[in-house]
Amino acid sequence: MKTRRAMLFAALPLTLAGAAVAQSSRRDPTPAGGDHPAGPTPAQTEGPYFTPNSPLRAGLYEPGMDGTRLRVGGLVLDPSCRPLGNVLVDLWQADAQGRYDNAGYRLRGHQFTDAQGRWQFETIVPAIYPGRTRHLHVKLQAPYGKLLTTQLYFPGDTAGNARDRIFDKRLLMNTAGDAEQMIARYDFVLAG
Ligand SMILES: [Fe+2]
């Protein structure tokens, strides 16, 4: 398992693993602007399945849950590529059958970025459901900042992404992994 995880991390240059190593072995530098999106992260529609007041938790995976395990995370930055701490990151998604839990909070949760601007969830890869390509829903809000509602996409779903009318390539994550475990990274840029 350890070797397998190391291989996954090695395959994704801008990895969460990199952030973790940076944290444990040296001071995390201010990210280089060139490594991150040039403009603010675009907003997208909320869709019909948002539920307010999700639990404060980074672990959305529950034992026995179907689907490919997914560790998704990255940074939240300001337009000058400075990390933003204490940013609310709320994530909700479909399960491995393409269903949302609209009665409870399965596969829903929120957290706050740490001082280095990092966010991360342990979850599963959502299934495609009719009319949409594979995606995650996210809301972000810095303290006293504007709320950003958007969606994140998987680069492996080329055909589904091309057919999806909402899809925006600026919201593609970097991913690595296989049918059992995937790692995905996205760095948000909040305009204000
Ligand atoms: Fe959705």
Side-chain angles (χ1 to χ4, degrees):
M1 192 65 187
K2 196 170 181 180
T3 304
R4 171 190 169 74
R5 187 166 287 181
M7 284 171 61
L8 280 180
F9 286 164
L12 187 61
L14 285 175
T15 56
L16 303 171
V21 168
Q23 183 183 31
S24 62
S25 62
R26 61 183 166 82
R27 286 186 157 227
D28 205 10
T30 301
D35 290 343
H36 301 290
T41 303
Q44 291 218 306
T45 179
E46 176 181 289
Y49 302 123
F50 175 67
T51 303
N53 304 314
S54 69
L56 174 62
R57 61 182 180 187
L60 307 186
Y61 174 79
E62 296 165 19
M65 219 174 234
D66 289 341
T68 300
R69 295 285 298 270
L70 171 65
R71 177 184 297 171
V72 56
L75 299 172
V76 181
L77 305 166
D78 73 9
S80 300
C81 288
R82 288 180 296 231
L84 291 171
N86 206 28
V87 175
L88 168 72
V89 183
D90 193 323
L91 184 145
W92 72 103
Q93 64 170 91
D95 66 13
Q97 282 75 42
R99 299 173 306 208
Y100 287 84
D101 177 6
N102 294 311
Y105 289 97
R106 189 167 172 263
L107 294 172
R108 299 174 184 271
H110 76 271
Q111 62 184 259
F112 295 89
T113 55
D114 65 13
Q116 284 76 44
R118 289 181 293 226
W119 65 281
Q120 180 172 299
F121 288 95
E122 295 283 347
T123 183
I124 59 158
V125 176
I128 292 171
Y129 60 85
R132 291 303 318 276
T133 191
R134 201 182 312 274
H135 62 278
L136 302 170
H137 293 272
V138 196
K139 285 181 183 284
L140 297 99
Q141 189 168 30
Y144 309 108
K146 283 192 294 189
L147 181 68
L148 171 69
T149 301
T150 192
Q151 302 185 29
L152 297 176
Y153 297 98
F154 294 78
D157 293 306
T158 315
N161 291 343
R163 280 195 301 268
D164 191 294
R165 287 189 294 173
I166 302 174
F167 171 76
D168 185 331
K169 65 181 179 183
R170 294 173 294 175
L171 294 165
L172 277 172
M173 299 181 288
N174 286 320
T175 61
D178 54 29
E180 284 185 43
Q181 184 164 11
M182 179 182 284
I183 297 171
R185 174 168 177 156
Y186 190 85
D187 294 340
F188 295 98
V189 178
L190 296 185

